[in-house]
Amino acid sequence: MTKIIDYVFSIGSPWSYIGLAPFLDLLEKTGAEIRPYLTVVLEENGGIFSRNRPEARRQYWLRDLKRWAGLRGKTLLLENRPPLADPAPAAFMVIAAYLDGKPWLELTKILQEAFWGRAEDIGNPEVRRAIANAAGFDGDVLSKREGDADVQGKWAADREFALKNGVFGFPSFLYDGELYWGQDNLHFLESHLNGVKP
């Protein structure tokens, strides 16, 4: 029987960016498949935007991100970033790709790398369209799909799913009734997929 993981993430989450590659490695090892759910910080469940954290916690968050980025071999540009638009609308493009049967994980990866690795303004529709085109996607088609009813419907439903299932941070993985929060919990998810529930 195919093992299905509900994968809840945010395009604008650096932890989702850092954790994507090891998550894909885990899928390859275990043969599991994923159902994607895209949303933004869930304050209703206790999620906190980084800008709203106390300074001591924010400074630790920055240091921890750098440590994990180094461990995962990811470029993470956190300081001296130019003013950037909200990256959340980039999720609409990813949802459109998913609904249209396109390689949405690859699109997710290139958008996150652009935003976190190079500080490109993926919140700007022209910028993300160009990024998609350069990667071999039809950025014009995907961009036009962003406001369509099925795309916006999934965006709303994904948030409701996350709220209902107790998600508050990203990435989160739901498998067999268990919630695993954070890319640092992938080893527990792997154990569960292999039949040993932590």
Side-chain angles (χ1 to χ4, degrees), residues 2 22 43 49 58 62 77 83 92-93 102-103 115 123 126 136 146 161 166 169 193:
T2 303
E43 293 181 293
F49 285 99
R58 180 171 166 72
L62 289 169
L77 184 60
F92 306 155
M93 180 175 273
K102 307 298 182 187
F115 188 72
E126 293 182 6
E146 291 177 2
F161 175 87
L193 287 165

Side-chain angles (χ1 to χ4, degrees), residues 98-181:
Y98 170 73
L99 293 175
D100 293 348
K102 307 298 182 187
W104 63 273
L105 274 168
E106 182 62 27
L107 182 59
T108 296
K109 184 165 67 172
I110 64 171
L111 287 170
Q112 287 182 324
E113 286 174 348
F115 188 72
W116 289 110
R118 301 188 299 276
E120 294 183 22
D121 193 3
I122 64 171
N124 182 318
E126 293 182 6
V127 171
R128 64 177 173 270
R129 187 183 309 121
I131 291 169
N133 283 333
F137 292 86
D138 191 330
D140 296 326
V141 168
L142 290 173
S143 186
K144 288 175 184 173
R145 289 271 288 119
E146 291 177 2
D148 287 351
D150 59 340
V151 172
Q152 292 301 311
K154 178 167 171 52
W155 173 251
D158 285 3
R159 184 171 186 80
E160 287 304 311
F161 175 87
L163 287 169
K164 182 178 74 174
N165 285 281
V167 172
F168 52 88
F170 311 114
S172 285
F173 314 92
L174 292 103
Y175 175 67
D176 189 28
E178 195 73 27
L179 173 66
Y180 299 96
W181 168 48

